[in-house]
């Protein structure tokens, strides 16, 4: 099931070239909120409850052509965005250019198997997460901007020291 967030924070399911609006079913399945709000995305935290509600709503859900909606980030309130540096070979090669690294960031792995082994992970601002229907806004267009497409995974269930075999069960 391809769940999406679209237009004015509607929730839908992408079905080929249409979006089925299941917003009301999701709202009914989520727990009532009060301050202080929980950290993170309530939708993702309650996915086990929300998915059956979505399934039940699909047969009667209003359909809209996919081309007529503006897709937003699938997670409305990500608590963290954790990124991996130099996560593909072309970027490693590109980062070797002194015009880019200014002698500060040297991409050589120096005996490490991967850049993550050497540099670890880093946090990015959650405000930079956007959907395919949203525009990237450059606040300082006169400064150097790196243009990259990032692949994201939404973690649906927390954990620590998760085995490789169990890793996919934590992805929403």
């Amino acid at each position: 099931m391809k769940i999406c967030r679209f237009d004015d924070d509607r929730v839908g399911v992408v079905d080929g070239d249409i979006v089925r609006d299941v917003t009301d079913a999701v709202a009914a399945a989520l727990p009532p909120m009060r301050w202080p709000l929980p950290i993170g995305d309530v939708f993702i935290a309650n996915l086990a409850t929300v998915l059956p509600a979505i399934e039940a709503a699909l047969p009667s859900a209003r359909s809209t052509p996919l081309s007529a909606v503006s897709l937003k980030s699938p997670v409305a309130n990500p608590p963290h965005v954790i990124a991996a540096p130099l996560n593909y070979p072309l970027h490693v090669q590109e980062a070797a250019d002194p015009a880019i690294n200014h002698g500060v960031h040297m991409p050589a792995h120096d005996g490490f198997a991967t850049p993550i082994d050497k540099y670890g992970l880093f946090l990015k601002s959650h405000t930079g997460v956007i959907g395919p229907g949203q525009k990237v806004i450059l606040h300082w267009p006169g400064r150097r901007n790196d243009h990259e497409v990032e692949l994201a995974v939404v973690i649906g269930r927390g954990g620590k020291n998760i085995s490789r075999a169990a890793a996919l069960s934590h992805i929403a």
Side-chain angles (χ1 to χ4, degrees):
M1 180 181 326
K2 295 179 182 177
I3 301 170
C4 68
R5 195 166 62 97
F6 67 99
D7 293 347
D8 295 322
D9 289 320
R10 307 294 298 171
V11 181
V13 174
V14 178
D15 183 10
D17 60 352
I18 64 167
V19 173
R20 299 185 186 280
D21 191 328
V22 294
T23 304
D24 293 340
V26 169
L30 291 174
M33 305 302 303
R34 58 177 283 214
W35 188 88
L37 297 174
I39 295 172
D41 192 286
V42 176
F43 179 94
I44 298 300
N46 291 280
L47 205 51
T49 304
V50 170
L51 288 178
I54 290 174
E55 288 280 354
L58 280 175
S60 61
R62 181 178 56 94
S63 296
T64 304
L66 180 59
S67 61
V69 303
S70 177
L71 295 175
K72 293 184 163 195
S73 162
V75 180
N77 301 298
H80 306 291
V81 177
I82 302 170
L86 302 171
N87 57 10
Y88 58 97
L90 186 58
H91 190 41
V92 172
Q93 294 167 5
E94 174 187 66
D97 183 345
I100 290 176
N101 66 37
H102 304 287
V104 174
H105 180 73
M106 301 311 294
H109 297 170
D110 299 332
F112 292 87
T114 70
I116 294 173
D117 292 334
K118 180 175 182 178
Y119 300 115
L121 301 171
F122 63 96
L123 295 175
K124 295 187 78 120
S125 172
H126 67 279
T127 61
V129 177
I130 62 170
Q134 296 175 284
K135 294 181 180 181
V136 174
I137 299 170
L138 298 178
H139 295 284
W140 298 282
R143 294 184 182 175
R144 185 181 130 229
N145 289 281
D146 289 332
H147 305 281
E148 298 180 72
V149 173
E150 302 289 353
L151 171 66
V153 176
V154 177
I155 304 300
R157 186 165 59 99
K160 185 175 181 179
N161 300 321
I162 300 163
S163 70
R164 182 181 290 239
L168 291 179
S169 70
H170 290 261
I171 297 174

